[in-house]
Amino acid sequence: MELSNQFWSASLEEMKRGFLEEKDSFVCLMCGESIEKGMVYPYEDKFYLAEKYIRVHIEQTHSSVFDFLIAMDKKLTGLTDHQKRLLSLFYQGKNDKEVQEELDIGSASTIRHHRFALKEKERQAKTFLTMMELLKEKDENAPTFVPVHQTATMVDERYNITQEEQDKILKKYFSEGILTKFPPKEKQRLVILREISKQLKENDHYDEKELNQLLKSMYDDYVLIRRYLIEYGFLDRKPDGSKYWVKK
């Protein structure tokens, strides 16, 4: 799933609650689910108004905003696996002694040191975020970058793609919805695979024959496309290959 521009442009408060409010709906920042205002939504023998139901959706689909964010790639969070583990334990309400015992490292004072380091990282992030917000007001030449999809398996320079670059690549390799050639460069392949993945329905499960037919309608070598969709984190499957689905 590709994180939308809405996700990246959301305010801190919107990010914390996991959704934004539009004129006629509430929209989940993590998956784009839209909950229409003025409707009543049933769930487990109860009925909810839209704003309450979007919170139910987030809990049931994503566990919590924290869980969703902590699972993101290191390139998107700037956190090491160790830092993620610490934050998860702190989020669970564990004290320093409990964290130290669970991780089996150092002592309670070691955990306090890690807490201090994380607070330092928070201060740095606030400073950097403020500078970037100020920069937006001055930098008229900044290009628009294409968001990285949340299920990306490896975020590197391949994802350094502007909207203008993407449009040129799509125009070069697609003709009336048909892929004319699978490009040789990784960045170009990423753009092509992202476009192909948009033709797959997020909540559907495809058997191998169904998926092959769909991919073949866009490119003859559907096996190649299927393999790369999985490799780049757009598609997932059962170990025996009996079912495929869009990775969320």
Side-chain angles (χ1 to χ4, degrees), residues 125-139:
K126 285 182 178 179
T127 303
F128 181 71
L129 181 60
T130 302
M131 289 190 294
M132 290 302 292
E133 287 296 313
L134 292 170
L135 179 60
K136 287 179 186 177
E137 300 173 6
K138 297 290 185 178
D139 189 2

Side-chain angles (χ1 to χ4, degrees), residues 16 30 55 67-68 89 105 118 164 236:
K16 283 170 61 178
M30 293 165 281
R55 298 179 189 275
D67 290 323
F68 179 87
L89 293 172
I105 57 172
L118 289 168
E164 184 179 2
D236 207 346

Side-chain angles (χ1 to χ4, degrees), residues 64-95:
S64 71
V65 176
F66 181 90
D67 290 323
F68 179 87
L69 296 176
I70 205 75
M72 291 169 67
D73 188 273
K74 178 183 177 180
K75 282 279 189 176
L76 301 179
T77 64
L79 297 170
T80 66
D81 290 340
H82 181 62
Q83 289 171 326
K84 286 184 177 184
R85 183 63 177 147
L86 284 166
L87 285 170
S88 293
L89 293 172
F90 295 151
Y91 187 74
Q92 294 168 25
K94 296 183 182 295
N95 61 37

Side-chain angles (χ1 to χ4, degrees), residues 2-3 5 8 22 38 41 54 68 76 78 88 90 109 114 162 174 188 221 224:
E2 183 178 317
L3 290 171
N5 286 324
W8 295 115
E22 296 187 334
Y41 298 86
I54 191 70
F68 179 87
L76 301 179
S88 293
F90 295 151
S109 63
H114 284 303
T162 66
F174 271 98
Q188 295 172 330
D221 194 350
L224 175 71

